[in-house]
Amino acid sequence: MSILARHHLVPPSLFLLLLLVACTMGCLQSIACKPRIRRENIVVYEVSASIDQCPTIIEENSPIVLRYKTPYFRASAGVVMPPVPRNETWVVGWIQACTQMEFYNTYGDIGMSSWELPELREGRVKAISDSDGVSYPWYGNTTETVTLTGPTSKPSRLTVSMNDNFYPSVTWAVPISNSNTPMLTHITRDQSFITWLVAMNSVTKERIVLQTVRWRMRVDIAVDPDMPLGSRASLVGRPYQEQPHILNYQEPIPPNALGRPNANDAQVLMWRPRRGAPLVVIPPK
């Protein structure tokens, strides 16, 4: 007998109760069939992103190379994840990619060396992974990520954080020369990044972008190679970095930001003379 038929055989109050129970059971079954980890069930709080308010430090301790150390970019966030179902593992953490890089070391009127990301420079990709080279797609695997393995019976509160800076060496002499004579006159670096806070299912690779941060690091150093070691280089331009932007929308993650190669392995050191053809000094790994 159909429910409509039974409606005529039971009191109205009892019929309404039965209908309510049936609808409730249907809703519960529907919920059980859907994935339980969804963006609306994840809480993100206390997101911070900053660059230390200090100038780049120049080190002139070596007769072979100049070194400089930029301030740190730092990002941190608290996340509350809903209960994780049985047979599921979720990782919450930071993924970072380089979206633009200009890195030139000028040697007077002889030429310049430049660290380049060819695919990025030529527009073949939108971004290149800035992973540590081991923990793809994550930036790292210590404070940068937290892993949750189901089943968990209650929400999990966690914090993930990361930091990044530049600390390279630049030769005083022309990098393709056998001479040790200092010729370096200028260092220019301008690099941009996107950093994503992400929750990812380790099995299905489903990704939920929780927060997007854009930031940029710039370095401008003038060098007088005729001065004694220890007093050759000085910062020019702005002494402090522009602060990162925490976006109020989420940007998609390009495929090249998730796997090999990372920026360190993909970069090439070129020598670009004022006259003549460019030369690869250090090829990609």
Side-chain angles (χ1 to χ4, degrees), residues 105-116:
N105 307 310
T106 304
Y107 294 83
D109 60 359
I110 301 172
M112 68 178 184
S113 65
S114 62
W115 284 102
E116 302 174 6

Side-chain angles (χ1 to χ4, degrees), residues 7-285:
H7 173 55
H8 299 289
L9 302 178
V10 297
S13 59
L14 180 58
F15 172 78
L16 290 174
L17 178 60
L18 291 171
L19 188 60
L20 178 61
V21 170
C23 290
T24 302
M25 291 301 294
C27 291
L28 289 175
Q29 289 173 356
S30 175
I31 291 173
C33 293
K34 294 180 180 178
R36 290 200 288 171
I37 305 294
R38 299 187 297 275
R39 177 62 187 92
E40 58 266 29
N41 295 335
I42 302 173
V43 177
V44 180
Y45 64 98
E46 293 181 357
V47 178
S48 65
S50 64
I51 295 178
D52 294 348
Q53 288 291 305
C54 60
T56 294
I57 297 170
I58 301 172
E59 299 178 0
E60 294 188 38
N61 303 319
S62 165
I64 307 300
V65 296
L66 173 152
R67 302 197 74 190
Y68 63 84
K69 186 175 184 179
T70 66
Y72 279 91
F73 163 78
R74 304 178 191 274
S76 178
V79 179
V80 179
M81 289 288 288
V84 177
R86 186 181 302 277
N87 300 325
E88 288 191 18
T89 298
W90 284 77
V91 180
V92 179
W94 296 101
I95 294 174
Q96 181 164 284
C98 176
T99 58
Q100 175 262 340
M101 183 172 78
E102 296 177 1
F103 187 177
Y104 306 121
N105 307 310
T106 304
Y107 294 83
D109 60 359
I110 301 172
M112 68 178 184
S113 65
S114 62
W115 284 102
E116 302 174 6
L117 295 167
E119 288 190 329
L120 194 62
R121 180 172 56 85
E122 295 165 10
R124 287 181 280 155
V125 299
K126 293 182 178 179
I128 290 183
S129 168
D130 198 32
S131 167
D132 61 5
V134 177
S135 310
Y136 293 101
W138 308 104
Y139 181 75
N141 64 357
T142 53
T143 63
E144 298 88 357
T145 60
V146 172
T147 301
L148 300 173
T149 301
T152 58
S153 59
K154 58 183 181 180
S156 302
R157 184 183 297 267
L158 53 95
T159 300
V160 286
S161 62
M162 62 162 289
N163 61 70
D164 190 13
N165 80 326
F166 306 153
Y167 193 17
S169 301
V170 181
T171 58
W172 294 110
V174 173
I176 62 167
S177 169
N178 294 323
S179 169
N180 291 326
T181 303
M183 300 294 289
L184 180 67
T185 55
H186 210 109
I187 298 171
T188 303
R189 187 166 183 175
D190 186 352
Q191 204 160 344
S192 299
F193 300 87
I194 304 180
T195 307
W196 294 271
L197 177 65
V198 178
M200 185 172 77
N201 186 312
S202 294
V203 177
T204 66
K205 304 305 178 184
E206 174 192 357
R207 293 184 302 274
I208 302 174
V209 177
L210 305 174
Q211 192 69 64
T212 306
V213 178
R214 279 186 171 269
W215 63 282
R216 181 181 186 183
M217 190 78 77
R218 286 181 280 187
V219 177
D220 196 1
I221 298 173
V223 183
D224 184 346
D226 295 327
M227 294 294 287
L229 183 66
S231 56
R232 293 173 182 165
S234 60
L235 285 177
V236 293
R238 55 187 301 164
Y240 303 109
Q241 302 294 327
E242 177 185 350
Q243 289 301 305
H245 300 281
I246 300 175
L247 306 185
N248 56 12
Y249 59 92
Q250 309 314 331
E251 294 197 12
I253 306 177
N256 289 78
L258 298 169
R260 299 178 186 276
N262 68 350
N264 285 341
D265 289 346
Q267 66 185 354
V268 178
L269 180 62
M270 298 293 298
W271 170 250
R272 297 188 177 278
R274 186 63 60 88
R275 298 176 183 85
L279 176 68
V280 176
V281 180
I282 301 178
K285 295 181 181 178

